[in-house]
Amino acid sequence: MSNTRIGIVGYGNLGKGVEAGLKQSSDLELAGIFSRRQPEQLETTSPAYHMDDLLGFKDSIDVLILCGGSQKDIPVQGPELAKTFNTVDTYDNHNEIPVHFAKLDQVARENDTVAVISTGWDPGLFSLNRLIAESILPKGETYTFWGPGLSQGHSDAVRRVAGVKNAVQYTVPKEELVDAVKDKQSIEYNKLDAHKRMVYLVLEEDADESKVRETIKTMPDYFEGYETEIHVIDQETFDKEHAGMPHGGTVMRQGKTTDDHTAIYQFGLDLDSNPEFTAAVAIAYARAAGKLAREKQYGAKTVFDIAPGYLSPKSGAQLRKELL
Amino acid sequence: MSNTRIGIVGYGNLGKGVEAGLKQSSDLELAGIFSRRQPEQLETTSPAYHMDDLLGFKDSIDVLILCGGSQKDIPVQGPELAKTFNTVDTYDNHNEIPVHFAKLDQVARENDTVAVISTGWDPGLFSLNRLIAESILPKGETYTFWGPGLSQGHSDAVRRVAGVKNAVQYTVPKEELVDAVKDKQSIEYNKLDAHKRMVYLVLEEDADESKVRETIKTMPDYFEGYETEIHVIDQETFDKEHAGMPHGGTVMRQGKTTDDHTAIYQFGLDLDSNPEFTAAVAIAYARAAGKLAREKQYGAKTVFDIAPGYLSPKSGAQLRKELL
């Protein structure tokens, strides 16, 4: 079978992650990167084109991976591009997923394309595990803990505080709660109390440290109400230890197989690079989208609708022999 | 939609687990338990019948869950029963899975039935995670650790040693190896070195403890070559702490999203009752088998071939809204 040819739409962190990740799979190949910027402005040695030229690649791209933002890009690009291409996105606006699905399902069915939405890890792999855990253990509770992970929005908010030169913010699950769930204890869980916020910042030379701390801790919506730890560090340490985009988390279900017997189902990720892993998930689902399109299984799909075997380059017989 | 009617074939620990588990799902109902023993000999209040009468239930059973052993029962019963019924099994003889699949696939296709094989957790959920992890992180290593878990065969072997009144054996992964994988270190892994064996035993009154210990530690195939810990306890402690059938384990993949960035993918189970959880997995796949049969998607299937949404009683729209 010939390779599945992948187009990347948008060249931010996620697009770069897809570009790098595609090199790991010999059954997939990069057909081109499409950006609203001029191709010569992109720092890449891969073939790059302007978005306006995308339709001309109709016959040389099997699947597009949409790497733009969930707020403004994907809701517009998704329905438009699904008219012509098979698409995969990482749309992560949980509340709007049913609407996004409905729009893409209609476009994809009308145009004989496949549109896989909301891949990545949450939504995505975490959703998959919430579903499987709940289906197998109907009596129980599911808990999701996010982090330790870099939060871009909160980091930006801290950087805007007067006296702050540089800053990152990590969301960290409270270990004692995670351990209690693993230990089969019942806990009171709400998202806010289950996580704390850790800030690492570098001060401007003449900054008032106590005022900076106070401003951060009382920032409404972002830090107020959360347990917040603030660590002041020097620029050198900052550059050395806080340049990455780590993330991860855990989905756990505490279920009762009978009244006396508990089962703990646990899925966890620990990622040095959030965008690279998100890209890796999208790539596997792009492989699946290619196969579904060849089978004429058109329409919008989520991670719930795709048999896991579609994610692999291996045949069914190979998978049964090697991995079952 | 009317309920999916489930038949249980075989009434050992697994069959009892299915009987108990079915009470947790309102879309499934128990049609009957079928055993080679006389129905009145089974300790149950559920409808029970002799295996010889099973064919008479052709029209009142949607899916059979085969709860016999993988050595002798399933290889014979599977192909025979798949002629008439949709079936789910927990066949766990890894090496023979391709042959088992081929046999059942032929029978199921010829007779318009669905046969889901090798559900449970290993094979089953562990296999699923090995596949997903490898598909998303093509560059990396997958590690499987089993336990802490009761090993029936090893417990039996210890009980046969002269001077041993009662015994259980648990397989336990070496924590330092599990932690090293989580910690992104590279390790030398082989199944034997990655696990230790823990024995809890009660001695006969006049037994020679040192001789018992020596006999166990040098038992070929079972303990020789393994790190083995032996704990002598009294009968009261034995009854209180070692009556259950706990098991579990962890599948982990250490992958490189790029040369500098590692991702840890982890799936774990901690089960008070191995047979009850295995039953819970088989039940979810029985629900899937019922749906596949209604859609006329006939043939043998594994966990790799079934979209996760089929495991849930919820509709696609509900799943997208609640769990994605």
Side-chain angles (χ1 to χ4, degrees):
Chain A
M1 206 173 62
S2 54
N3 282 352
T4 300
R5 299 160 301 173
I6 308 287
I8 295 173
V9 176
Y11 196 62
N13 288 322
L14 182 61
K16 286 173 193 167
V18 172
E19 179 188 27
L22 284 171
K23 295 182 181 141
Q24 297 189 4
S25 291
S26 59
D27 63 320
L28 307 177
E29 63 184 57
L30 177 59
I33 296 166
F34 298 84
S35 166
R36 281 171 299 217
R37 285 175 283 170
Q38 292 304 320
E40 56 276 13
Q41 289 181 289
L42 305 184
E43 281 183 40
T44 177
T45 54
S46 304
Y49 310 94
H50 194 275
M51 267 296 278
D52 291 347
D53 299 326
L54 180 51
L55 283 184
F57 289 80
K58 185 176 168 9
D59 297 323
S60 54
I61 288 177
D62 298 306
V63 182
L64 281 183
I65 302 182
L66 309 186
C67 300
S70 288
Q71 278 315 103
K72 294 178 178 172
D73 299 327
I74 296 176
V76 179
Q77 289 174 347
E80 190 53 38
L81 294 172
K83 288 180 189 165
T84 313
F85 296 96
N86 304 303
T87 63
V88 171
D89 71 42
T90 59
Y91 185 73
D92 66 359
N93 190 344
H94 289 264
N95 291 333
E96 295 296 316
I97 284 173
V99 173
H100 184 59
F101 180 90
K103 272 193 212 164
L104 280 178
D105 196 43
Q106 194 189 339
V107 173
R109 285 177 193 276
E110 284 172 3
N111 294 280
D112 289 355
T113 63
V114 174
V116 184
I117 70 157
S118 300
T119 69
W121 58 272
D122 195 5
L125 298 186
F126 272 21
S127 323
L128 197 59
N129 279 282
R130 284 189 282 261
L131 165 68
I132 296 174
E134 175 188 285
S135 301
I136 289 169
L137 297 167
K139 272 179 71 174
E141 284 294 329
T142 301
Y143 303 94
T144 304
F145 295 96
W146 291 270
L150 180 74
S151 165
Q152 209 60 66
H154 287 75
S155 301
D156 290 345
V158 176
R159 278 191 289 266
R160 284 193 297 264
V161 171
V164 173
K165 187 176 164 196
N166 243 318
V168 287
Q169 192 269 6
Y170 302 101
T171 300
V172 181
K174 292 191 187 157
E175 274 307 317
E176 64 272 24
L177 280 183
V178 179
D179 290 344
V181 176
K182 283 187 196 170
D183 201 32
K184 303 176 187 172
Q185 297 168 34
S186 72
I187 63 163
E188 289 287 324
Y189 172 96
N190 72 64
K191 200 175 152 177
L192 193 140
D193 292 337
H195 297 83
K196 60 183 179 185
R197 303 203 172 279
M198 294 183 74
V199 174
Y200 293 83
L201 60 82
V202 183
L203 289 171
E204 302 278 8
E205 251 177 45
D206 51 358
D208 176 346
E209 180 175 333
S210 66
K211 201 175 155 193
V212 166
R213 286 180 177 270
E214 186 60 22
T215 308
I216 295 169
K217 291 202 174 188
T218 57
M219 201 184 291
D221 297 334
Y222 284 87
F223 293 96
E224 207 181 35
Y226 276 90
E227 186 182 325
T228 301
E229 271 181 31
I230 299 174
H231 301 273
V232 175
I233 58 178
D234 59 32
Q235 185 66 44
E236 196 188 347
T237 310
F238 188 90
D239 292 341
K240 209 170 103 195
E241 297 178 6
H242 300 284
M245 284 180 279
H247 219 309
T250 307
V251 172
M252 282 191 278
R253 189 164 176 92
Q254 252 183 7
K256 288 280 179 196
T257 49
T258 51
D259 287 348
D260 295 338
H261 294 145
T262 300
I264 304 292
Y265 175 114
Q266 190 195 338
F267 176 74
L269 293 172
D270 172 5
L271 313 170
D272 285 351
S273 169
N274 181 3
E276 284 176 10
F277 186 80
T278 302
V281 179
I283 289 170
Y285 279 97
R287 175 182 291 120
K291 296 188 195 178
L292 290 166
R294 284 192 289 275
E295 294 174 8
K296 302 187 194 302
Q297 295 198 43
Y298 302 129
K301 315 277 175 192
T302 74
V303 297
F304 300 153
D305 306 314
I306 296 176
Y310 282 92
L311 302 176
S312 175
K314 296 181 177 172
S315 71
Q318 233 181 325
L319 291 176
R320 286 189 292 275
K321 189 165 186 289
E322 295 174 14
L323 295 175
L324 198 63
Chain B
M1 204 174 62
S2 55
N3 282 353
T4 300
R5 299 159 301 174
I6 308 288
I8 295 172
V9 176
Y11 196 62
N13 287 324
L14 183 59
K16 286 174 193 165
V18 173
E19 180 188 27
L22 284 172
K23 294 182 181 141
Q24 296 189 5
S25 291
S26 58
D27 63 320
L28 306 177
E29 63 183 57
L30 176 60
I33 296 165
F34 298 84
S35 166
R36 282 171 299 217
R37 285 175 280 168
Q38 292 305 318
E40 55 277 13
Q41 288 181 290
L42 306 183
E43 281 181 41
T44 177
T45 54
S46 303
Y49 309 95
H50 194 274
M51 267 296 278
D52 292 346
D53 299 326
L54 180 52
L55 284 184
F57 288 80
K58 185 177 169 12
D59 298 321
S60 54
I61 289 177
D62 298 305
V63 182
L64 280 183
I65 301 181
L66 309 186
C67 299
S70 288
Q71 278 316 103
K72 296 178 177 173
D73 300 327
I74 295 176
V76 180
Q77 289 175 346
E80 191 54 38
L81 294 174
K83 289 180 189 164
T84 315
F85 296 95
N86 303 305
T87 62
V88 170
D89 71 42
T90 60
Y91 185 74
D92 67 359
N93 192 343
H94 289 264
N95 291 332
E96 295 298 316
I97 284 174
V99 173
H100 184 59
F101 181 89
K103 272 193 213 166
L104 280 178
D105 196 43
Q106 194 188 340
V107 173
R109 285 177 193 276
E110 284 171 4
N111 294 280
D112 289 356
T113 61
V114 174
V116 184
I117 71 158
S118 301
T119 70
W121 58 273
D122 196 5
L125 298 187
F126 273 22
S127 324
L128 197 59
N129 280 281
R130 284 189 282 262
L131 164 68
I132 296 174
E134 176 188 286
S135 301
I136 289 169
L137 297 167
K139 273 178 72 172
E141 284 294 330
T142 302
Y143 304 94
T144 304
F145 296 95
W146 292 269
L150 180 76
S151 164
Q152 208 61 65
H154 287 74
S155 301
D156 290 345
V158 176
R159 278 191 290 265
R160 284 192 296 265
V161 172
V164 173
K165 188 176 164 195
N166 243 318
V168 287
Q169 192 269 4
Y170 303 100
T171 299
V172 181
K174 292 190 187 159
E175 275 307 317
E176 62 273 24
L177 281 183
V178 178
D179 289 343
V181 176
K182 282 187 198 171
D183 201 31
K184 304 175 186 171
Q185 297 168 35
S186 72
I187 64 164
E188 288 287 325
Y189 172 96
N190 73 62
K191 199 175 151 178
L192 194 139
D193 292 338
H195 297 85
K196 61 184 179 185
R197 303 202 171 282
M198 294 182 73
V199 174
Y200 293 83
L201 62 80
V202 183
L203 290 170
E204 300 278 8
E205 251 177 45
D206 51 359
D208 177 344
E209 180 175 333
S210 66
K211 201 175 156 193
V212 165
R213 287 179 177 271
E214 187 59 23
T215 310
I216 295 168
K217 291 203 174 185
T218 57
M219 200 183 291
D221 299 331
Y222 284 87
F223 294 95
E224 207 181 33
Y226 275 90
E227 186 182 326
T228 302
E229 271 181 31
I230 300 174
H231 300 272
V232 175
I233 57 177
D234 59 32
Q235 185 66 43
E236 194 188 349
T237 309
F238 188 90
D239 293 341
K240 210 170 105 195
E241 296 177 7
H242 301 284
M245 283 180 278
H247 218 309
T250 307
V251 172
M252 281 190 280
R253 187 162 178 93
Q254 252 183 5
K256 287 282 179 195
T257 48
T258 51
D259 287 348
D260 295 337
H261 293 146
T262 299
I264 304 291
Y265 175 113
Q266 189 194 338
F267 176 74
L269 294 171
D270 172 5
L271 313 169
D272 285 351
S273 168
N274 181 3
E276 285 176 9
F277 186 79
T278 302
V281 179
I283 289 170
Y285 279 97
R287 174 182 292 120
K291 294 188 197 181
L292 290 165
R294 283 192 290 275
E295 294 175 6
K296 302 187 194 303
Q297 295 198 43
Y298 302 127
K301 316 276 176 193
T302 74
V303 297
F304 301 153
D305 307 314
I306 296 176
Y310 282 92
L311 303 175
S312 173
K314 296 179 177 173
S315 71
Q318 233 181 325
L319 291 176
R320 287 189 291 276
K321 189 164 185 290
E322 294 174 16
L323 294 175
L324 198 60

